[in-house]
Amino acid sequence: MATSLFIIFISFLLLQMPVSFCLAVSTVLAMYIASDIDTIAIVLKLFRSTGNYHLIAVPFFILAGGFMESGGISRRLVNFASNLIGHIRGGLANASVTAAMFFAGISGAAAADTAAVGSLLIPAMKRKGYGSDIATSVMATAGSIGIIIPPSIPMIILGVTASVSIGGLFMGGVLPGILMGGALMVVNYFYCKARKIEPEDRVPFKELVRSFFDSILAIITVVIIVGGIVGGIFTATEASVVAAVYAFLVGFFYYKELKIKDLPGIFVKSAVTTGVVVFTVAAASGFGWILTAENIPVKIAEFVISLSDQRWVIIMLLMGLFLVMGTFLDPSAIIIIVVPIVWPIIMKLGIEPIHFGICLIVNMAIGQCTPPVGIALFVASGISGISLNDVLGCYWKYLLAMVTVLLLVIFFPFFSTWLPTMAGYIQHY
């Protein structure tokens, strides 16, 4: 049955069928062809996999991002970021990174971050002479930080799948997310210096202060989400509802840019995006169920362990596997299919679950902007109107910076474990 599963899955992938449908169809067909189990069993499995309480956070974080985009909150974040560091060489590109990091603290999805910030700053960068290749590269890689800085939808799914504290994962993603943003800014600086792109004029201090207070309510959203979880006021799932309600109140009553007529469109867009995520979760869980039934996880675990008894070698092998898979699979699918397979290996080696989880999320962030199925890259290139062939010339340097950060997070657990340890999610490490 496992052989049939992989053959059908790969065949549909080559036909460019959406990954979620590849997973669902290959699972049902494999059971029908190679098993006498009633196919209604797989339908029940798919349905029950979506009933986890923690998955409620997915639609509400997506909804919060929609409210912020339509309510003018994201625009104010972008304006403040531009005023804050626009005067540094590569300032507008760095403002894109900073704005994406701010927005990452609200939406939890790479595509949403890339679209919200990129629609404002990619045209602005092109007008300032950055070139479509730099504008696209910056926004695609910066947008992928959305799944590293909390809240993060893949972190929620990882916490559910591997029974790891979602709050601990949220805390563990803060420093790697900041490190990733810093690495992209360094690349921006050297690119802009080489192309002799002059920085923006420094805005008057009064204007900087004004833009800060204009965006303060948006920035506070991050404090509410992270502070509420760490302080034990609410869970990560409850934080998603708080974020959505807060974003609605600020956009509707304070900024008054969110209108009643906007709500149906926001709800429909959020529902569609949620449907895609949850359907992928359901389809991937069925796929993983067959793998488990065929004892594939145990066999893979035994094979990986047989390659080396050095924990760092095994970690690097697994990270290489995830890096390759991330180029053509959605993070949710990878987490649900592969994590149950490799998690016994992680436990056996004594690796801190939160540390490995953050390494995995950073890895998936790179996959979000890597061809052939890098969603953030396609969103950014769609906004800029440039073909992938034209952007790859400078794009690889941004990817190299991201891979460098991944290696730092892997070999220096401090980046992913310090905040969770301070917050009490890790007792001894």
Side-chain angles (χ1 to χ4, degrees):
M1 186 161 59
T3 303
S4 301
L5 182 72
F6 281 113
I7 291 175
I8 297 170
F9 176 72
I10 293 172
S11 299
F12 282 132
L13 269 184
L14 294 175
L15 292 174
Q16 297 185 342
M17 179 184 284
V19 173
S20 55
F21 286 95
C22 289
L23 292 167
V25 174
S26 61
T27 299
V28 174
L29 287 180
M31 288 191 65
Y32 182 77
I33 293 170
S35 170
D36 57 359
I37 301 174
D38 193 335
T39 50
I40 194 65
I42 193 63
V43 176
L44 291 173
K45 176 64 180 176
L46 298 181
F47 178 76
R48 288 170 181 166
S49 66
T50 63
N52 192 294
Y53 164 76
H54 297 290
L55 290 179
I56 297 173
V58 174
F60 282 104
F61 277 131
I62 293 172
L63 187 61
F67 286 150
M68 294 196 72
E69 185 175 359
S70 297
I73 300 174
S74 58
R75 178 170 52 79
R76 287 172 169 82
L77 284 173
V78 169
N79 185 46
F80 171 62
S82 181
N83 289 343
L84 182 66
I85 60 174
H87 60 279
I88 303 172
R89 185 177 290 277
L92 203 55
N94 289 338
S96 302
V97 177
T98 306
M101 292 168 68
F102 280 142
F103 202 78
I106 297 138
S107 75
D113 290 359
T114 306
V117 181
S119 59
L120 297 172
L121 281 176
I122 286 178
M125 281 189 279
K126 290 170 66 175
R127 286 194 300 269
K128 292 291 183 179
Y130 279 76
S132 296
D133 55 345
I134 290 182
T136 304
S137 299
V138 170
M139 206 60 257
T141 49
S144 68
I145 300 176
I147 69 170
I148 304 176
I149 294 178
S152 162
I153 292 172
M155 283 184 188
I156 295 169
I157 296 172
L158 176 59
V160 171
T161 304
S163 299
V164 180
S165 167
I166 296 175
L169 291 171
F170 279 9
M171 289 294 97
V174 174
L175 291 183
I178 294 173
L179 196 63
M180 185 74 79
L184 296 179
M185 289 182 187
V186 171
V187 179
N188 286 338
Y189 176 85
F190 286 107
Y191 250 126
C192 293
K193 186 176 181 180
R195 295 194 182 185
K196 298 181 180 179
I197 299 173
E198 295 300 320
E200 303 293 303
D201 294 332
R202 185 189 294 268
V203 300
F205 183 71
K206 276 188 177 181
E207 175 62 19
L208 176 62
V209 173
R210 189 201 63 78
S211 63
F212 170 74
F213 282 106
D214 196 31
S215 63
I216 187 68
L217 291 179
I219 298 172
I220 288 175
T221 310
V222 183
V223 178
I224 291 174
I225 294 172
V226 177
I229 295 172
V230 175
I233 300 173
F234 41 69
T235 66
T237 305
E238 293 162 347
S240 66
V241 181
V242 173
V245 173
Y246 179 83
F248 172 79
L249 293 176
V250 171
F252 190 81
F253 291 104
Y254 187 79
Y255 292 137
K256 297 181 180 179
E257 293 189 22
L258 182 63
K259 308 297 182 183
I260 293 294
K261 65 179 181 180
D262 298 328
L263 297 183
I266 295 172
F267 287 140
V268 169
K269 186 176 180 181
S270 299
V272 170
T273 305
T274 300
V276 172
V277 173
V278 175
F279 182 75
T280 302
V281 169
S285 67
F287 193 94
W289 182 48
I290 291 184
L291 294 180
T292 303
E294 293 289 284
N295 212 29
I296 300 298
V298 174
K299 294 175 182 177
I300 292 179
E302 290 174 349
F303 172 72
V304 172
I305 292 176
S306 69
L307 295 176
S308 175
D309 56 0
Q310 299 296 316
R311 59 188 293 181
W312 293 113
V313 174
I314 294 178
I315 289 177
M316 292 305 295
L317 288 172
L318 293 176
M319 286 295 111
L321 171 66
F322 283 122
L323 202 58
V324 172
M325 294 184 69
T327 64
F328 62 90
L329 284 178
D330 181 82
S332 302
I334 296 174
I335 290 169
I336 296 174
I337 295 171
V338 184
V339 164
I341 297 175
V342 304
W343 215 251
I345 304 174
I346 302 306
M347 296 297 99
K348 186 171 182 178
L349 292 174
I351 300 170
E352 167 55 43
I354 289 178
H355 170 56
F356 186 81
I358 296 302
C359 292
L360 173 59
I361 295 297
V362 174
N363 197 311
M364 295 298 95
I366 298 173
Q368 291 278 275
C369 57
T370 306
V373 194
I375 183 64
L377 176 58
F378 282 106
V379 171
S381 61
I383 295 172
S384 65
I386 188 175
S387 68
L388 294 183
N389 289 335
D390 293 332
V391 76
L392 293 178
C394 76
Y395 193 61
W396 69 270
K397 295 179 182 177
Y398 287 90
L399 285 180
L400 182 60
M402 299 181 79
V403 172
T404 302
V405 172
L406 173 61
L407 293 174
L408 287 174
V409 174
I410 291 173
F411 289 108
F412 298 94
F414 164 84
F415 291 113
S416 60
T417 59
W418 181 67
L419 279 179
T421 302
M422 294 297 100
Y425 290 104
I426 299 176
Q427 299 303 319
H428 301 288
Y429 188 61

